[in-house]
Amino acid sequence: RPRRVHKCWSMAEPSSSTFVQGDDSVMMAAVQSRDAAVNPLLRTDPVSALRLALTDPPYATKTVSVKEASFEVVGKAICAIKEADVEAAVGTLTLEECDIFVKYLYRGLGLEGREKLYPVLLKWHPLVVNRTGPASIVRTISEVHRGL
């Protein structure tokens, strides 16, 4: 029986042995560009800032600094959304964006020295999982080679 792959992961490599490292300077430039586009939206439209922050995750690198820089862009966006607006913000995300977001949530929870951010991330997690169902967690765990 053929394995069903969620459309978000349709470009996933079949195994980690076929991983091709991308150009970190290009990916870091893309993260910095996304950060520059997100910053003005943080006060005026934080939900749009979040959706923009979730675009183009750096899957083609294993370089921690690129992945952490990308998380920082997402982290700024989620911190800009008022607690009362979190559920509505999750409702605006597509299922693909939710899957990407779950990876960022886990990335953030795994960062050392960022314990103050954990309560914020843990408030978002059940809302995203309620929106997508547990399959989002399964996709995140099963696609560890595409981790953020």
Side-chain angles (χ1 to χ4, degrees):
R1 193 166 97 174
R3 182 175 153 219
R4 297 187 112 190
V5 179
H6 185 269
K7 77 174 195 163
C8 179
W9 311 126
S10 62
M11 294 175 57
E13 296 83 16
S15 71
S16 60
S17 66
T18 62
F19 177 81
V20 176
Q21 175 72 33
D23 184 336
D24 282 337
S25 62
V26 170
M27 284 182 278
M28 187 59 91
V31 169
Q32 291 167 343
S33 175
R34 192 166 53 254
D35 186 42
V38 164
N39 280 332
L41 295 172
L42 294 175
R43 288 180 183 236
T44 60
D45 191 358
V47 174
S48 291
L50 174 61
R51 295 190 74 193
L52 181 58
L54 293 172
T55 61
D56 195 26
Y59 289 136
T61 187
K62 292 185 179 183
T63 305
V64 173
S65 61
V66 175
K67 292 179 178 289
E68 286 182 0
S70 189
F71 169 78
E72 292 300 325
V73 177
V74 173
K76 282 195 286 188
I78 64 172
C79 288
I81 297 173
K82 295 176 185 167
E83 190 170 341
D85 299 332
V86 169
E87 192 167 353
V90 170
T92 69
L93 300 177
T94 67
L95 294 180
E96 183 175 346
E97 289 169 332
C98 286
D99 280 355
I100 293 167
F101 192 26
V102 168
K103 285 191 173 198
Y104 277 112
L105 291 173
Y106 292 149
R107 164 66 60 180
L109 290 168
L111 292 176
E112 292 183 24
R114 300 300 307 267
E115 291 80 11
K116 290 183 180 180
L117 189 56
Y118 294 174
V120 174
L121 299 174
L122 290 171
K123 285 180 185 174
W124 284 83
H125 185 269
L127 297 171
V128 175
V129 172
N130 283 342
R131 168 112 166 76
T132 63
S136 186
I137 296 171
V138 172
R139 285 189 293 274
T140 298
I141 293 169
S142 68
E143 297 289 341
V144 293
H145 65 276
R146 295 224 28 217
L148 292 172

